[in-house]
Structure formats: structure tokens, C-alpha cells
Amino acid sequence: MDTPMLIGQYKTELEEIVKEANQALLNLGSLSAKEKKEKIGVIKIRLQHGENVYKTLQLESRDLDLATRRQVQAEIKNLHSHLKRMQADITSLSDRSNLLGAKELETWKVERGGQQQSQQSTSELLKSAHSAQDESFESLERSKRIVEETEQVGIATTTQLGAQREQLINVSKNLDEVEDQLKRADQLIRSFGRRMATDKLILCFLFLIVTGVIFIIGYKIYQSQH
């Protein structure tokens, strides 16, 4: 599971803990002394779990980008302040001989009612923040898709460049082969030229020899006649 989705789940869980604990505190007046004591114990456990969720959120938010991290931390700090306030309330209730008189409980409920209105106003702000966060997450997802598409284009370009490089290497090898063939042809032409020169020289010698023989034969014939 990715970090933004995980943070969203933890934050929803923390909001539910705050809401449930607040409602449970307001309903204490309708319970018997024994039920109150048991309920206070349950609320303490839930609030402690809320503290653990808050700490987990702080750790997970470190993996977010700076802007989103600041926004998430502001939201969870607001929830944590409500959590700490309820922890103080539950501690106060436990310290009053573990019970509240009807009159004291009514006074406390009035105080909590004012806090609840403040919390409702805060909830509206949180909803607005959630909407902004969702937009940030969507923007983040779009950025991820763009990065992935860019990566795919980069891979395709690298593949094409690799193929072109192979073609250039093959062309270079072909040019080397052509150069070798030209060198061999040049050597053959030079060798053929040397052979032709040698053949011409031999022909010249043969011509001189034949001419000498003819001259000698003619000279002998001339002498025999005179």
C-alpha cells in the first residue's frame, strides 16, 4: 500500500477515535457508578491507542513531499490537541473519587458541549483540508504517471540509440573491410604492373637477340657471296 493511502487510513482512524471518545464522555451521565468506571477505563484505552496512531502518522508523513507533509502534520496536530484535551478530562474524572455527582456532571457536560461546537467547526476545517489533500494526492498521482511515461520514452529512446549504435558499428566494420579490399587491389595492381614491366624487358631482350641473330646470319651470307 502506498504512503498517501496508508496515511489517509490512519488519519480516518484517529478522527473516529476522537469522535467516539468525545461522545462516550458526554454519555457518562446516564451510566451507573460501576458502568462509569468501566467506561472510563475503555475510553483511556482508546485514547492511548489514538496516541499510538498519532505517532505512527508522524513517522509515515516523513515520506511525503514537503508541502503535503506540512498539511498532514497540521491536521493531525489539531486532532492530537483534541485527544490531549480528552485525556486531561478523563484524568480529571478519575481523580474525582472515580465518580461525578449529577450536578458536577451536568456542569462538565455543558463545558464539553462548548468544546464540541468548537470541534465541529474544526471538523469543517478538516473536511476542507481533506479536500485539498485529495487534490494534492491526485496531483501527486498525475506527476507519478508523467514520470512513468517519461521513463518509458527514455527506455524507448535508449533502445533506438542502441540499435543505431549497432548499425554504426556495422557500417564501420564494412568500411574497414572495403578499405582492406582496396589495399589488396592496389597491391595486385602494383604486382601486375611490375610483371608487365618485367615482360616488356624480356621482350626487349628477345628482340635484341633475334635482331643480333638476323644480323649475324645476314653478315655470314654476305661474306659467303663475296
Side-chain angles (χ1 to χ4, degrees):
M1 185 178 296
D2 57 359
T3 299
M5 186 177 296
L6 188 63
I7 287 176
Q9 289 183 356
Y10 279 129
K11 192 168 63 173
T12 300
E13 183 178 4
L14 184 58
E15 290 173 351
E16 290 176 353
I17 290 172
V18 170
K19 184 178 179 180
E20 290 173 5
N22 181 70
Q23 189 62 42
L25 285 171
L26 291 175
N27 292 336
L28 283 176
S30 60
L31 302 177
S32 64
K34 183 179 179 180
E35 290 174 338
K36 288 176 186 177
K37 188 174 181 179
E38 292 176 353
K39 193 65 175 180
I40 287 173
V42 173
I43 294 172
K44 283 183 177 180
I45 293 173
R46 289 292 289 166
L47 292 177
Q48 184 57 48
H49 179 62
E51 281 287 345
N52 295 335
V53 174
Y54 171 71
K55 291 177 181 178
T56 302
L57 275 168
Q58 284 186 314
L59 291 174
E60 292 292 339
S61 63
R62 294 177 182 176
D63 296 332
L64 299 173
D65 61 89
L66 182 59
T68 307
R69 182 169 67 250
R70 286 178 177 175
Q71 181 180 349
V72 170
Q73 288 180 347
E75 294 175 4
I76 63 177
K77 282 180 180 179
N78 188 34
L79 289 171
H80 187 245
S81 65
H82 290 294
L83 196 70
K84 298 297 287 185
R85 188 181 302 114
M86 282 186 287
Q87 285 177 332
D89 289 341
I90 204 69
T91 300
S92 175
L93 289 174
S94 298
D95 290 343
R96 294 181 187 179
S97 301
N98 296 325
L99 292 171
L100 282 176
K103 185 175 180 181
E104 291 175 313
L105 183 58
E106 286 300 322
T107 302
W108 180 83
K109 287 176 68 175
V110 170
E111 294 175 353
R112 288 298 299 171
Q115 293 176 358
Q116 188 177 21
Q117 290 180 353
S118 175
Q119 185 174 354
Q120 289 176 349
S121 177
T122 304
S123 298
E124 293 177 357
L125 292 175
L126 285 176
K127 288 181 181 179
S128 177
H130 288 166
S131 178
Q133 184 183 15
D134 291 339
E135 292 179 359
S136 298
F137 286 158
E138 290 176 0
S139 177
L140 181 61
E141 290 299 324
R142 286 195 298 270
S143 299
K144 286 183 178 179
R145 286 195 296 270
I146 291 173
V147 170
E148 290 174 355
E149 291 173 359
T150 304
E151 183 178 1
Q152 292 298 324
V153 171
I155 292 172
T157 302
T158 302
T159 303
Q160 291 178 355
L161 290 175
Q164 291 177 358
R165 180 174 178 274
E166 290 295 330
Q167 291 177 354
L168 290 174
I169 291 173
N170 292 333
V171 170
S172 178
K173 289 180 180 179
N174 292 334
L175 290 175
D176 291 337
E177 291 177 359
V178 170
E179 185 178 2
D180 290 338
Q181 291 175 358
L182 289 175
K183 287 181 179 179
R184 291 197 190 104
D186 183 61
Q187 290 174 354
L188 289 172
I189 290 172
R190 290 181 181 180
S191 176
F192 183 71
R194 286 194 295 268
R195 287 180 183 178
M196 288 183 65
T198 302
D199 292 342
K200 287 180 180 180
L201 184 61
I202 291 172
L203 288 173
C204 289
F205 278 124
L206 288 174
F207 177 75
L208 290 174
I209 291 170
V210 170
T211 303
V213 169
I214 292 172
F215 178 75
I216 292 171
I217 293 172
Y219 181 73
K220 291 292 184 179
I221 294 172
Y222 177 77
Q223 284 184 344
S224 62
Q225 290 178 353
H226 292 82

